[in-house]
C-alpha cells in the first residue's frame, strides 16, 4: 500500500509539473502545446515505480497505436492473442520472481479494449498518437478509471483547463488523499478486526456480518480514494474522466451493485466483450458468467479470484433470469400494491446483496479460502 501511495504522491507532483509546462507552452503560443505533451510523457515515466512497468506499458501502447492503422476486421485475433499472452506471462512472472510489473491489469485491459474497439467500430478508429497518449496517461495508468482515446487525446490536452476544472480537480485530489492517507488506514481498516473480535458472543453472527461489511467498506474507501485522485488529476488538465463509483452501498440487488461499483470496468466488459458474445451466440446467461469469471481472473491469477468472479457471474445470471421470468415478474408486480411489504423486500435485498458481495470479497482475499 505504501508503494501505491508513493505513486499517488508522484502523480500529484507530475500534474503540477505538467500544468507548469502546459501554461508555459501556452504563453509561448504553441498552438498544439507540443512542449506540454512532451513533458507529459517524460515526467510520467520518471515517476513509474519500475522500469519493467514502463517498458511493458510503452510496448503495449506502441503495439495498439500501430494496430489501429491495420485492417482491424482482418487482424483482430492477431491483436488480442499477443497482448493477452504478454499479460498472462507478466502475471505469472510477477508471482514467481522478483520481476515488478505494477499496474499490468490496467495496462492490459485498456490495450485490449482499444484493439477490440477498433474492430467493433472501424469508422470511429482512433488516431495512433491519441491511442499512445491515452494508454500511457499517467493519472489513470495505475488504477483507472478505464477509458480510451475518445476522452484522453491530444486535442483534449491542447486546451487550458477552466477555473472550474482546476477547482473541482483540486477538491477531488484532496478528498482522495484524505481517504487513502487517513480515513482508510486509520478508521475503516480497524473496523473489521474490532467486529471480528466480538464474534464469539451471543450476537456472533451479527458481528461476523458487520466485520464482512467493514472489510468491503474499507476496500471501497481506499479504491475510491485513488480514483478520486485520478479523476481530479484529469480535471486539472481539462479532461472529463469517467467515474468509477456511484454510492454502491445503496445497491439493493447484485445487478444494481455492479451498476454502481467499478463502473468503467463493467462498461468495458459489457460493450467490448459481453454484448458481442451474446449477439453472436444468443447465450445471455452464460455470457454473464464468462464475463465475470474473466473479471475475476483479471484481478488475480488465483482460484479464489476465479471463484469470486464466477460467484458474481452466477448471481447476476440468476437475477437476470428472474427479471425475465413471467411468474417472478408477476409476483413482484403484486408487491407494488403493498408499500410496507415492498419496503421490507427492498431492505432484505440490500442486506443480502451487501452480505453476499462482502463475503465474496473476503473469500477472494484468502481469509475464507
Amino acid at each position: 500500500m505504501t508503494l501505491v501511495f508513493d505513486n499517488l504522491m508522484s502523480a500529484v507532483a507530475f500534474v503540477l509539473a505538467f500544468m507548469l509546462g502546459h501554461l508555459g507552452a501556452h504563453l509561448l503560443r504553441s498552438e498544439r502545446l507540443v512542449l506540454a505533451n512532451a513533458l507529459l510523457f517524460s515526467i510520467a515515466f520518471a515517476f513509474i515505480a519500475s522500469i519493467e512497468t514502463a517498458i511493458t506499458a510503452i510496448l503495449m501502447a506502441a503495439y495498439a497505436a500501430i494496430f489501429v492503422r491495420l485492417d482491424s476486421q482482418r487482424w483482430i485475433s492477431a491483436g488480442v492473442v499477443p497482448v493477452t499472452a504478454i499479460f498472462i506471462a507478466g502475471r505469472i512472472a510477477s508471482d514467481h520472481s522478483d520481476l515488478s510489473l505494477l499496474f499490468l491489469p490496467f495496462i492490459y485491459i485498456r490495450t485490449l479494449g482499444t484493439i477490440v474497439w477498433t474492430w467493433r467500430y472501424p469508422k470511429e478508429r482512433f488516431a495512433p498518437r491519441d491511442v499512445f497518449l491515452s494508454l500511457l496517461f499517467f493519472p489513470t495508468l495505475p488504477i483507472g478509471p478505464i477509458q480510451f482515446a475518445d476522452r484522453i487525446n491530444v486535442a483534449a490536452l491542447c486546451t487550458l483547463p477552466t477555473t472550474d476544472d482546476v477547482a473541482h480537480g483540486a477538491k477531488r485530489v484532496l478528498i482522495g488523499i484524505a481517504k487513502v492517507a487517513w480515513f482508510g488506514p486509520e478508521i475503516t481498516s480497524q473496523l473489521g478486526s474490532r467486529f471480528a473480535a466480538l464474534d464469539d458472543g451471543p450476537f456472533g453472527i451479527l458481528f461476523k456480518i458487520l466485520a464482512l461489511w467493514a472489510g468491503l467498506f474499507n476496500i471501497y474507501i481506499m479504491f475510491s480514494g485513488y480514483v478520486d485522485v485520478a479523476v481530479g488529476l484529469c480535471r486539472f488538465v481539462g479532461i472529463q474522466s469517467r467515474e468509477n463509483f456511484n454510492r454502491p452501498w445503496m445497491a439493493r440487488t447484485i445487478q444494481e451493485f455492479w451498476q454502481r461499483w467499478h463502473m468503467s470496468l463493467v462498461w468495458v466488459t459489457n460493450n467490448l466483450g459481453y454484448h458481442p458474445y451474446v449477439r453472436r451466440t444468443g447465450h445471455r446467461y452464460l455470457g454473464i458468467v464468462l464475463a465475470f469469471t474473466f473479471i475475476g481472473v483479471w484481478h488475480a491469477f488465483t482460484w479464489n479470484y476465479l471463484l469470486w468472479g464466477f460467484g458474481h457471474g452466477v448471481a447476476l445470471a440468476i437475477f437476470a433470469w428472474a427479471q425475465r421470468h413471467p411468474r417472478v415478474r408477476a409476483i413482484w408486480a403484486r408487491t407494488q400494491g403493498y408499500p410496507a411489504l415492498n419496503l421490507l423486500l427492498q431492505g432484505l435485498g440490500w442486506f443480502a446483496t451487501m452480505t453476499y458481495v462482502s463475503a465474496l470479497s473476503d473469500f477472494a482475499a484468502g481469509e475464507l479460502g
Side-chain angles (χ1 to χ4, degrees):
M1 190 61 69
T2 301
L3 182 59
V4 177
F5 184 67
D6 288 343
N7 279 278
L8 184 149
M9 292 295 97
S10 298
V12 176
F14 150 68
V15 166
L16 293 176
F18 175 73
M19 284 293 290
L20 291 175
H22 206 273
L23 291 168
H26 183 72
L27 293 174
L28 292 173
R29 298 180 180 179
S30 174
E31 293 182 0
R32 295 188 178 182
L33 299 181
V34 175
L35 177 60
N37 290 327
L39 192 65
L40 169 67
F41 291 106
S42 60
I43 295 178
F45 284 102
F47 287 120
I48 287 182
S50 72
I51 188 64
E52 295 94 340
T53 300
I55 292 174
T56 304
I58 291 172
L59 287 176
M60 281 196 172
Y63 183 85
I66 294 172
F67 180 86
V68 297
R69 300 297 298 174
L70 302 175
D71 182 354
S72 54
Q73 294 288 343
R74 181 180 176 184
W75 288 85
I76 181 63
S77 60
V80 171
V81 172
V83 169
T84 303
I86 292 172
F87 172 64
I88 294 173
R91 292 304 292 263
I92 294 174
S94 297
D95 291 341
H96 296 87
S97 70
D98 295 330
L99 181 67
S100 176
L101 286 175
L102 294 174
F103 325 136
L104 180 60
F106 284 91
I107 297 170
Y108 165 69
I109 197 69
R110 290 194 295 182
T111 305
L112 180 67
T114 298
I115 292 172
V116 177
W117 180 303
T118 305
W119 169 62
R120 286 202 64 200
Y121 309 110
K123 294 182 179 179
E124 300 177 18
R125 191 172 301 187
F126 302 129
R129 64 176 186 175
D130 290 336
V131 169
F132 197 76
L133 174 63
S134 66
L135 293 178
L136 300 181
F137 188 59
F138 185 70
T140 58
L141 177 63
I143 202 165
I146 301 167
Q147 46 206 338
F148 304 110
D150 59 325
R151 289 175 180 261
I152 301 176
N153 49 59
V154 173
L157 288 172
C158 284
T159 56
L160 286 173
T162 65
T163 303
D164 288 342
D165 287 333
V166 174
H168 182 81
K171 178 182 176 181
R172 289 293 293 269
V173 168
L174 291 175
I175 290 173
I177 291 175
K179 285 181 179 179
V180 174
W182 174 72
F183 194 68
E186 300 297 329
I187 298 180
T188 60
S189 65
Q190 310 298 323
L191 291 177
S193 58
R194 291 184 180 181
F195 286 132
L198 301 172
D199 64 1
D200 293 331
F203 300 100
I205 295 295
L206 174 62
F207 285 115
K208 180 61 177 176
I209 292 174
L210 289 174
L212 290 174
W213 288 359
L216 182 64
F217 186 61
N218 185 58
I219 293 173
Y220 166 71
I221 290 296
M222 298 299 289
F223 190 8
S224 66
Y226 292 125
V227 170
D228 283 335
V229 172
V231 172
L233 297 179
C234 287
R235 285 296 294 272
F236 256 120
V237 294
I239 291 176
Q240 299 290 333
S241 171
R242 294 186 187 279
E243 293 288 349
N244 246 9
F245 296 98
N246 180 22
R247 296 180 293 177
W249 288 97
M250 301 293 290
R252 294 159 296 181
T253 66
I254 188 69
Q255 183 186 69
E256 188 180 357
F257 177 82
W258 279 105
Q259 290 170 346
R260 295 170 174 270
W261 179 280
H262 209 165
M263 297 183 295
S264 65
L265 175 61
V266 175
W267 179 86
V268 170
T269 306
N270 279 345
N271 286 278
L272 303 182
Y274 168 71
H275 291 311
Y277 173 82
V278 172
R279 277 195 290 269
R280 181 173 295 234
T281 66
H283 298 154
R284 178 188 302 272
Y285 307 122
L286 178 59
I288 294 173
V289 175
L290 291 176
F292 274 85
T293 302
F294 165 78
I295 288 175
V297 176
W298 174 80
H299 276 82
F301 279 12
T302 65
W303 285 107
N304 282 22
Y305 264 105
L306 184 147
L307 293 174
W308 172 88
F310 180 78
H312 277 287
V314 168
L316 284 160
I318 292 173
F319 185 83
W321 171 85
Q323 279 188 313
R324 297 169 66 88
H325 196 280
R327 285 189 179 180
V328 176
R329 295 177 63 179
I331 292 172
W332 179 250
R334 291 195 194 103
T335 66
Q336 303 305 303
Y338 302 92
L341 177 60
N342 185 259
L343 183 63
L344 175 63
L345 291 175
Q346 290 192 39
L348 290 174
W350 174 86
F351 178 86
T353 299
M354 291 299 106
T355 304
Y356 183 74
V357 171
S358 299
L360 281 179
S361 295
D362 197 50
F363 174 78
E367 294 179 18
L368 297 181

